Amino acid sequence: RKGDTAKVKEIKELGFNVISKSRAGRGGGVAFIFKKGIHIKPQKTKSYKSFEVVEGILESSITGIMRISCIYRPGTGKYGKVTDFCTEFEEYLSSITHLPGRPLIAGDFNIHMEDPENVDTKRFQSIIDSFGFYQHVQEPTHFCEGILDLVLTGDNTCDSIQMCNLQVVKTGTSSDHYLVSFSCQFSHHIIPTQEVNLSTRSISKMDMDLFKEDLLNSKLNCTEYSSNDPNDAVILYNEQLDQLLNKHAPLITYSYNPDQSKWLNAECQDARRKRRKAERVNKREKSTDSRIAWVLASKNAKEVISNTRDKYYNNQLAACTQNKRKTYSIVNNLLDRNISKDCYPTHKPNGTVASEMKDFFHNKVAN
């Protein structure tokens, strides 16, 4: 939904980026959620009344361009008629077929493709056939046995995308739709993770009594110092303090990923690995026991991640109850608000303002 930045921020903290087109009211909205390091360039699209679409491209010097689109067509509402959708969807296909890139269109179309004799299905099928698209999903994607969620790719040699491992998975969520997963080969550039190296000292953990004792026994407290040159005194001061700090608070150098969530600890990583392992086992065995194990692992991972994140931010807020600036900073971070970019009012260039003021006073005096 529009303004639901808190959920987007939560997704980003788990290591993903989001390109979305939200809906102003309840329900709806379409999005790409992809791992950080993959670069999907969002594309501008026309707004349609009968369906929602978000579009992006993946570029590669080896395999060219892949143009991916996510579609959602509401099955009810003012513009819920399939005839309205077919007219607008045909217009959309016309707008992208002449653009560079191999198309991949997927989403919830809410058209019953399992019934080829249906009038609406026939019309939709004729449209995708006329534009040279092939529909890959052949299994029910809804708990009422309807094939409503589709994956479309070009059917000719130039625009075709090699698809494999397409599966319809009954997930453990409350959704009435199933997960449609598939793989396709596309070489693309991965943005490398940039780690930052930092050096610090644990000053707060120093034994201050021992530090004071060593400081009193150092050359800084020596009464026999005879040099009158202030530069020598500064050099001695720096050397002695460096020695004492290296002894009581040695320099610690570490690297970290600035995109890594601070609350995502080893327990969360372990829960995610177990969930992924259970998912792979379920895909391989497709048994009742493997599915139950996958559902339990998914629920456990969700609970561990949610509790860890809640605990981290609760502690952060509790630690700054007397610091309103810090509190607002944490809240803005949770809501994915970048206040700094909007802290200044809009303004014109200095030269333009000066010229307008000159013209204003000139006209005022002249009149």
Side-chain angles (χ1 to χ4, degrees), residues 46 58 81 86 103 119 123 165 188 242 254 283 342:
K46 178 183 174 180
L58 275 167
K81 294 181 179 179
C86 286
V119 175
R123 182 177 179 185
N165 300 326
H188 60 281
D242 281 342
Y254 65 95
K283 284 184 177 181
D342 300 322

Side-chain angles (χ1 to χ4, degrees), residues 129-180:
D129 288 343
S130 65
F131 282 93
F133 280 89
Y134 176 75
Q135 202 288 106
H136 294 266
V137 182
Q138 304 298 327
E139 301 178 47
T141 63
H142 190 264
F143 78 101
C144 288
E145 300 301 315
I147 302 178
L148 310 180
D149 305 272
L150 314 177
V151 178
L152 308 176
T153 61
D155 199 19
N156 56 64
T157 305
C158 296
D159 292 335
S160 64
I161 297 173
Q162 186 176 354
M163 307 282 292
C164 58
N165 300 326
L166 191 145
Q167 293 181 322
V168 178
V169 183
K170 298 180 180 180
T171 61
T173 67
S174 58
S175 174
D176 55 349
H177 288 254
Y178 303 147
L179 171 67
V180 180

Side-chain angles (χ1 to χ4, degrees), residues 23-62:
R23 180 188 285 187
R26 291 186 59 189
V30 283
F32 296 130
I33 300 176
F34 51 97
K35 285 188 176 181
K36 291 179 179 178
I38 298 176
H39 179 63
I40 297 180
K41 185 178 179 180
Q43 302 294 296
K44 291 184 178 180
T45 57
K46 178 183 174 180
S47 295
Y48 296 93
K49 294 181 179 179
S50 62
F51 69 98
E52 300 169 30
V53 58
V54 61
E55 184 181 312
I57 60 173
L58 275 167
E59 296 182 274
S60 169
S61 58
I62 302 174

Side-chain angles (χ1 to χ4, degrees), residues 6-31:
K7 179 56 67 175
V8 173
K9 176 62 178 180
E10 184 177 347
I11 293 171
K12 289 180 178 179
E13 288 185 348
L14 291 171
F16 297 90
N17 279 327
V18 180
I19 297 175
S20 62
K21 184 175 288 185
S22 56
R23 180 188 285 187
R26 291 186 59 189
V30 283

Side-chain angles (χ1 to χ4, degrees), residues 111-126:
I111 294 177
H112 288 271
M113 299 301 290
E114 79 282 359
D115 184 6
E117 300 302 320
N118 183 281
V119 175
D120 294 331
T121 304
K122 283 183 176 180
R123 182 177 179 185
F124 177 74
Q125 186 66 54
S126 68

